[in-house]
C-alpha cells in the first residue's frame, strides 16, 4: 500500500515523505508529477525508464494539456478530459484550472456537470470519493478509517442525489456534484485537494430510466424513506464525527423536504450547512445588493417575488427576510414584502397542498383582496406582476420560459428598473434568456442568470450577464469556518458573505449592469469572503480556535494552497 506523509520544510513549502517507490507513485494523483519529475527524484524513487527523458516544467505541462482541452469538440468531452487529468495529476489539473477559470469552471461545474451526472454510469473511469449504500453503511467507520491521510480531511461534500440541479433524481450519478464542488473548494479557497472528500449516499433511485439502464452503477431499488432513510443518514453523520472530527460538512442537492430536515437536524450537532438553501440565499442577496447600487434604491423599498419554492427559493426568501429585519423591519413587515410562489402560484393560508417547509412564507388568505384575478384559488406570477408592483423577481423553478414576455412587460409597466434574475440551471432550464428580458424591457431591466450567458448587445449598449453562481460563496464559507474552527455555521455568516461579495463588485462591472464579479477573480473574492466569515464567527462566539481579528487576512493567505509540485523525500511513514 502506498504510504506518504505531508509536512512543511524550513521555507514553509510542502514536502512529502514517501515510503513506496516506482510505478505506484505514478498512479497516485497527489504525488504524481508526470513528465515533470526532476531527474534526482526519478533516481531516488526508481522512476527512471517509466518517463520520457525530458523533465518538463509545470508551465509546459499546462500548455500541453490546454492544447488537448481545446481540441475536444463537446462540453462533455472536455469534462471527461479534465476529470481524467485530475485522476492522474491533481497539481497539474488545478494549475490548468486556475489559469483558465472563466473557460473551465462551467465545464467542471454548472452547467456541464448536470449532463455529466446524467451520464455518470456511462462515462465512469476512475473512483473519486466514497460511495455509501445500505450494504456498507454499517461499516462506515472502517471505510473512513481506511481513507488516505484521513486526519487532514477538512471539507466533506455529501449528496443523496435526489435533487440534482434542475434535473432531479440522478441516483449514483449525483456524485458529479460533490466531486465538482470539492474541486472548487481547492480552486477558489485553496484547500489542499487531499483534504477534500466527496461522498455519495446511494439510497436508491426513483428514476425509472436509471433503474432500466443496464449500465447503471447504483443499487437498483426505490429510494429509502422515512425512518429507514434517517437511520442511514444518522450512521453517516456518526462516522463523520468519529473519524473526521475537524471537518466541515456541506449538504448538497437533497430533496426539498430532506434538505431542510437534515439542515435543522444536524446543524447544531456538527458544523454543517446546506449550500442549496444558504449559499443560494447569500449569492442571490449579493446580486440584489448590486442591483440596488445600480438603481440607487434601498432594500426596504423593494417588493420581492421568489418563483420556485424549493431549497434554493426558500433559502433566498429567508436571506431577504433576514436582511430586511437587519434594516429595522419586524419579521411580519419583512415577510409582507416577499411573495413566494410554487407551481400552484402564491403560497397562502388555506391554499391546497402547501408543503410544511414553505409555510413560514404563507401569506394571509385574503392577501389578494381587490386584485384582478383569473383564478382566486391559484394566484399566478402574472397576477403578482400585474397587481403587486414587484421590483425584484428571482427564479428557481427549473421551468424553462416561465418568465414570459407578458410577465416581464407587466413588471416593467409598474417599475422603472425591474430586477429580474432567472437563476435556474442548467442553461436549458432557465426561466428566460437575458437577451429576451432586455428586449422586453427596452434595456431597463437589471439581469443576472444561474448559468453562463454571453453579453447582450442592445441599442448600442453592452450588458454583461453576471452568473449567480454559488461558487462565489460556499468556498469562502468553508475556508472561513475551517480557519477559526467554527462549531456551528450560522445564518449571519452567510449574510456577511453575501454582503462582502457585493462590496467586491467593481464600479466598471456595475456600470455594465453586471452584479457579480468575473469568475477569473475567484481566488481574490474567496479571500475576502473567507475573512469576513471568520470574523463573523469570532464576533458571534462560535469560533473553536483563538484567532486575533487583525491576523485573519494573514491566516487566510497562509492557508491557500498554490498548485506547484512538492518535493518528495524517502522515508518511513
Amino acid at each position: 500500500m502506498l504510504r506518504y506523509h505531508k509536512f512543511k520544510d524550513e521555507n514553509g513549502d510542502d514536502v512529502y515523505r514517501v515510503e513506496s517507490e516506482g510505478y505506484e507513485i505514478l498512479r497516485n494523483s497527489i504525488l504524481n508529477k508526470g513528465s515533470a519529475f526532476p531527474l534526482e527524484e526519478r533516481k531516488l524513487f526508481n522512476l527512471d525508464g517509466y518517463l520520457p527523458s525530458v523533465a518538463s516544467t509545470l508551465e509546459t505541462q499546462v500548455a500541453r494539456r490546454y492544447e488537448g482541452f481545446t481540441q475536444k469538440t463537446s462540453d462533455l468531452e472536455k469534462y471527461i478530459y479534465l476529470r481524467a487529468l485530475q485522476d492522474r495529476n491533481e497539481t497539474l489539473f488545478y494549475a490548468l484550472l486556475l489559469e483558465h477559470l472563466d473557460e473551465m469552471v462551467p465545464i467542471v461545474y454548472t452547467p456541464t456537470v448536470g449532463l455529466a451526472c446524467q451520464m455518470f454510469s456511462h462515462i465512469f473511469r476512475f473512483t473519486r470519493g466514497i460511495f455509501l449504500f445500505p450494504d456498507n453503511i454499517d461499516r462506515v467507520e472502517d471505510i473512513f478509517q481506511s481513507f488516505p491521510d484521513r486526519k487532514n480531511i477538512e471539507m466533506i461534500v455529501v449528496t443523496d442525489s435526489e435533487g440534482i440541479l434542475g434535473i432531479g433524481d440522478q441516483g449514483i450519478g449525483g456524485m458529479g456534484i460533490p466531486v465538482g464542488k470539492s474541486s472548487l473548494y481547492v480552486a477558489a479557497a485553496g484547500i489542499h485537494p487531499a483534504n477534500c472528500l466527496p461522498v455519495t449516499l446511494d439510497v436508491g433511485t426513483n428514476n425509472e430510466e436509471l433503474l432500466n439502464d443496464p449500465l447503471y452503477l447504483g443499487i437498483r431499488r426505490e429510494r429509502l424513506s422515512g425512518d429507514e432513510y434517517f437511520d442511514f443518514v444518522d450512521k453517516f453523520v456518526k462516522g463523520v464525527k468519529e473519524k473526521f472530527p475537524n471537518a466541515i460538512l456541506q449538504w448538497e442537492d437533497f430533496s426539498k423536504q430532506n434538505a431542510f430536515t437534515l439542515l435543522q437536524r444536524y446543524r447544531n450537532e456538527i458544523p454543517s450547512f446546506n449550500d442549496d438553501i444558504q449559499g443560494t440565499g447569500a449569492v442571490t442577496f449579493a446580486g440584489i445588493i448590486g442591483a440596488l447600487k445600480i438603481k440607487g434604491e434601498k432594500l426596504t423599498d423593494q417588493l420581492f417575488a421568489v418563483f420556485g419554492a424549493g431549497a434554493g427559493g426558500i433559502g433566498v426568501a429567508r436571506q431577504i427576510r433576514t436582511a430586511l429585519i437587519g434594516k429595522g423591519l419586524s419579521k411580519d413587515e419583512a415577510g409582507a414584502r416577499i411573495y413566494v410562489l410554487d407551481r400552484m402560484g402564491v403560497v397562502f393560508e388555506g391554499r391546497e397542498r402547501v408543503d410544511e417547509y414553505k409555510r413560514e412564507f404563507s401569506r394571509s388568505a385574503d392577501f389578494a383582496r381587490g386584485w384582478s384575478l383569473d383564478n382566486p384559488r391559484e394566484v399566478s406570477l402574472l397576477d403578482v406582476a400585474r397587481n403587486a408592483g414587484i421590483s425584484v423577481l428571482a427564479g428557481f423553478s427549473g421551468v424553462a420560459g416561465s418568465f414570459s414576455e407578458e410577465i416581464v412587460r407587466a413588471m416593467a409597466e409598474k417599475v422603472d428598473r425591474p430586477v429580474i434574475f432567472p437563476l435556474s440551471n442548467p442553461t436549458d432550464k432557465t426561466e428566460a434568456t437575458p437577451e429576451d428580458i432586455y428586449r422586453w424591457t427596452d434595456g431597463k431591466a437589471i439581469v443576472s442568470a444561474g448559468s453562463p450567458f454571453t453579453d447582450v448587445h442592445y441599442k448600442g449598449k453592452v450588458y454583461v450577464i453576471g452568473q449567480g453562481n454559488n461558487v462565489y460563496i460556499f468556498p469562502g464559507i468553508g475556508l472561513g469556518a475551517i480557519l477559526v474552527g467554527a462549531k456551528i455555521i450560522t445564518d449571519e455568516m452567510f449574510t456577511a458573505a453575501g454582503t462582502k461579495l457585493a462590496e467586491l463588485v467593481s464600479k466598471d462591472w456595475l456600470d455594465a449592469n453586471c452584479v457579480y464579479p468575473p469568475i477569473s477573480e475567484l481566488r481574490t473574492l474567496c479571500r475576502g469572503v473567507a475573512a469576513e466569515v471568520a470574523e463573523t464567527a469570532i464576533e458571534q462566539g462560535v469560533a473553536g480556535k483563538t484567532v486575533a481579528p487583525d491576523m485573519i487576512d494573514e491566516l487566510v493567505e497562509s492557508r491557500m494552497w498554490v498548485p506547484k509540485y512538492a518535493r518528495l523525500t524517502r522515508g518511513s511513514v
Side-chain angles (χ1 to χ4, degrees):
M1 179 180 177
L2 179 62
R3 294 171 60 85
Y4 59 90
H5 173 68
K6 180 166 68 75
F7 63 94
K8 299 284 187 182
D9 64 13
E10 62 277 6
N11 298 317
D13 293 327
D14 288 342
V15 180
Y16 284 95
R17 182 181 296 113
V18 184
E19 199 168 296
S20 304
E21 64 176 29
Y23 197 67
E24 201 172 19
I25 293 175
L26 297 176
R27 300 285 292 176
N28 182 279
S29 64
I30 297 295
L31 301 179
N32 184 26
K33 302 179 185 181
S35 63
F37 271 106
L39 298 180
E40 58 270 23
E41 287 186 3
R42 298 183 186 202
K43 294 177 181 178
L44 183 63
F45 291 98
N46 291 324
L47 296 173
D48 195 28
Y50 288 115
L51 297 165
S53 59
V54 173
S56 300
T57 65
L58 179 58
E59 292 74 21
T60 301
Q61 289 182 305
V62 167
R64 183 180 295 126
R65 294 282 69 84
Y66 183 65
E67 180 182 72
F69 176 84
T70 59
Q71 292 171 353
K72 302 302 177 183
T73 58
S74 73
D75 287 347
L76 185 60
E77 286 180 332
K78 291 177 179 178
Y79 177 91
I80 294 169
Y81 178 86
L82 290 176
R83 285 290 167 231
L85 174 59
Q86 185 181 16
D87 292 338
R88 297 193 306 273
N89 186 330
E90 298 264 12
T91 302
L92 177 53
F93 167 77
Y94 285 109
L96 176 65
L97 178 59
L98 282 170
E99 191 164 312
H100 301 280
L101 280 170
D102 281 331
E103 190 173 0
M104 293 184 178
V105 166
I107 302 298
V108 171
Y109 201 60
T110 56
T112 307
V113 73
L115 177 59
C117 288
Q118 292 174 306
M119 297 297 296
F120 181 85
S121 294
H122 292 254
I123 64 174
F124 181 81
R125 263 71 170 170
F126 186 81
T127 191
R128 177 167 290 275
I130 285 178
F131 298 90
L132 298 173
F133 41 90
D135 286 347
N136 72 5
I137 191 64
D138 288 327
R139 302 192 304 277
V140 61
E141 293 183 22
D142 291 338
I143 293 169
F144 286 162
Q145 177 72 29
S146 68
F147 196 80
D149 213 14
R150 65 176 177 80
K151 292 181 180 179
N152 290 322
I153 294 297
E154 295 179 310
M155 196 71 229
I156 300 172
V157 184
V158 61
T159 186
D160 74 352
S161 309
E162 189 170 5
I164 298 298
L165 302 173
I167 56 178
D169 186 349
Q170 295 303 312
I172 204 171
M175 177 57 104
I177 300 297
V179 168
K181 293 239 165 169
S182 296
S183 297
L184 294 175
Y185 270 112
V186 180
I191 298 173
H192 194 282
N195 297 359
C196 297
L197 176 61
V199 178
T200 287
L201 307 179
D202 183 7
V203 294
T205 179
N206 297 332
N207 185 330
E208 289 295 329
E209 185 176 346
L210 294 177
L211 291 172
N212 294 326
D213 182 353
L215 298 182
Y216 180 57
L217 286 166
I219 60 172
R220 296 176 185 273
R221 56 153 293 167
E222 292 184 354
R223 285 184 167 272
L224 299 181
S225 60
D227 291 342
E228 195 175 8
Y229 173 83
F230 290 109
D231 287 346
F232 183 99
V233 180
D234 278 340
K235 291 175 182 178
F236 161 70
V237 172
K238 180 182 176 184
V240 170
K241 291 171 63 177
E242 176 66 27
K243 299 301 179 181
F244 307 125
N246 299 317
I248 306 295
L249 178 64
Q250 176 179 323
W251 304 99
E252 188 66 34
D253 284 352
F254 287 75
S255 70
K256 301 167 188 175
Q257 187 59 62
N258 286 342
F260 290 98
T261 300
L262 295 175
L263 176 62
Q264 188 62 32
R265 184 167 180 153
Y266 297 112
R267 68 182 306 178
N268 293 318
E269 184 175 335
I270 186 171
S272 58
F273 66 94
N274 186 297
D275 185 52
D276 302 303
I277 300 172
Q278 296 158 291
T280 303
V283 77
T284 305
F285 175 60
I288 291 171
I289 294 175
L292 295 183
K293 287 182 180 180
I294 295 171
K295 294 176 67 172
E297 295 178 6
K298 297 179 180 179
L299 186 73
T300 51
D301 291 334
Q302 310 305 309
L303 278 178
F304 304 87
V306 177
F307 185 66
I314 296 299
V316 169
R318 286 180 174 179
Q319 183 63 71
I320 293 170
R321 183 179 61 191
T322 298
L324 289 171
I325 292 171
K327 296 293 185 181
L329 273 62
S330 69
K331 185 176 181 180
D332 288 342
E333 289 171 336
R337 305 198 71 81
I338 305 168
Y339 292 87
V340 171
L341 300 91
D342 58 18
R343 67 183 61 188
M344 293 180 63
V346 176
V347 176
F348 63 89
E349 294 175 3
R351 200 201 75 179
E352 296 180 2
R353 288 180 291 175
V354 175
D355 296 314
E356 186 61 37
Y357 68 89
K358 304 174 187 176
R359 293 187 182 279
E360 62 182 291
F361 289 101
S362 290
R363 302 185 74 86
S364 63
D366 62 349
F367 80 96
R369 180 180 296 170
W371 286 17
S372 175
L373 302 172
D374 294 329
N375 180 2
R377 293 185 178 181
E378 294 186 8
V379 183
S380 69
L381 179 58
L382 180 58
D383 291 327
V384 176
R386 283 173 171 170
N387 293 276
I390 53 172
S391 55
V392 179
L393 171 61
F396 305 91
S397 65
V399 180
S402 52
F403 289 179
S404 67
E405 181 175 356
E406 190 175 10
I407 290 169
V408 171
R409 288 190 182 278
M411 276 191 72
E413 287 177 6
K414 296 276 188 179
V415 179
D416 287 338
R417 301 212 64 188
V419 177
I420 303 177
F421 291 175
L423 292 170
S424 289
N425 55 53
T427 310
D428 62 358
K429 300 291 184 181
T430 192
E431 287 83 2
T433 67
E435 183 176 5
D436 281 342
I437 295 172
Y438 277 117
R439 183 162 48 84
W440 295 335
T441 63
D442 196 28
K444 295 179 180 179
I446 300 170
V447 183
S448 177
S451 291
F453 280 89
T454 57
D455 298 349
V456 172
H457 297 256
Y458 183 77
K459 290 189 175 181
K461 184 172 180 179
V462 178
Y463 298 89
V464 178
I465 309 303
Q467 184 187 358
N469 193 328
N470 289 20
V471 72
Y472 291 123
I473 294 293
F474 70 81
I477 292 286
L479 178 59
I482 289 168
L483 292 177
V484 298
K487 295 176 287 186
I488 184 174
I489 313 296
T490 67
D491 292 338
E492 289 78 8
M493 290 159 75
F494 283 92
T495 302
T499 302
K500 185 64 177 181
L501 175 61
E503 291 176 5
L504 294 171
V505 182
S506 71
K507 183 180 182 301
D508 288 344
W509 229 236
L510 294 175
D511 288 343
N513 254 37
C514 187
V515 298
Y516 294 108
I519 290 288
S520 59
E521 298 177 4
L522 203 49
R523 277 220 162 179
T524 300
L525 299 168
C526 188
R527 288 183 180 94
V529 171
E532 197 73 17
V533 168
E535 186 173 336
T536 301
I538 293 170
E539 291 173 354
Q540 291 191 279
V542 298
K545 298 177 182 177
T546 301
V547 179
D550 61 352
M551 295 298 294
I552 290 176
D553 288 338
E554 183 177 333
L555 182 60
V556 169
E557 191 65 35
S558 70
R559 283 298 311 271
M560 296 196 85
W561 175 73
V562 176
K564 61 180 182 179
Y565 288 124
R567 181 166 57 89
L568 305 188
T569 182
R570 294 199 69 158
S572 299
V573 178

